[in-house]
Amino acid sequence: MIRAAALTLMASIPACQADETVARYGAAERLWELQTLNGAALPGPATLEFQPGGPVSGQAPCNSFSATNTVPYPWFQLSPIVATRAACADLDAEAAYFEALARMTQSEVREGTLFLRNDDGDEMVFTTSD
């Protein structure tokens, strides 16, 4: 009986932990639109949306996608990105967007701007109108 109670308690601990992802620090439930990738505009629209607890979704130039970010702020690491598979003229831009997202390791939310960066000097800048 005590063992069952202990297992139940251990299973509930993750549910009690506070969200420490970028979502909690100003990114949640906003539509973030990519402005620049390493200082240049990306052909076609690209967005991100963060939900509390780590789910991330968005729209790349061709396809919608989802992933999870569970590392604590200011760190950023997406689980493998899962995307729909529609073809369009901007597939090269979409591949660049997904590759860049996968390489980002740090996040910063400041005055309506989301910055994603890595140690190689790559940077993605998003803004929101919310």
Side-chain angles (χ1 to χ4, degrees), residues 10 12-20 24 53:
M10 293 297 287
S12 67
I13 288 174
C16 297
Q17 293 175 342
D19 177 10
E20 292 296 325
R24 179 172 181 225

Side-chain angles (χ1 to χ4, degrees), residues 41-123:
L42 191 71
T47 64
L48 280 178
E49 291 184 80
F50 296 87
Q51 298 302 317
V56 178
S57 61
Q59 179 66 45
C62 299
N63 291 284
S64 59
F65 68 94
S66 64
T68 303
N69 176 46
T70 57
V71 294
Y73 185 78
W75 308 116
F76 184 82
Q77 179 181 350
L78 290 183
S79 65
I81 296 169
V82 177
T84 56
R85 299 185 64 119
C88 78
D90 293 327
L91 282 176
D92 289 340
E94 177 164 291
Y97 179 63
F98 287 152
E99 288 170 13
L101 278 175
R103 288 191 316 267
M104 296 299 121
T105 58
Q106 302 164 9
S107 60
E108 177 184 359
V109 179
R110 184 177 63 214
E111 299 173 6
T113 304
L114 169 67
F115 301 91
L116 298 179
R117 300 180 181 106
N118 65 26
D119 291 337
D120 294 331
D122 296 323
E123 180 177 69

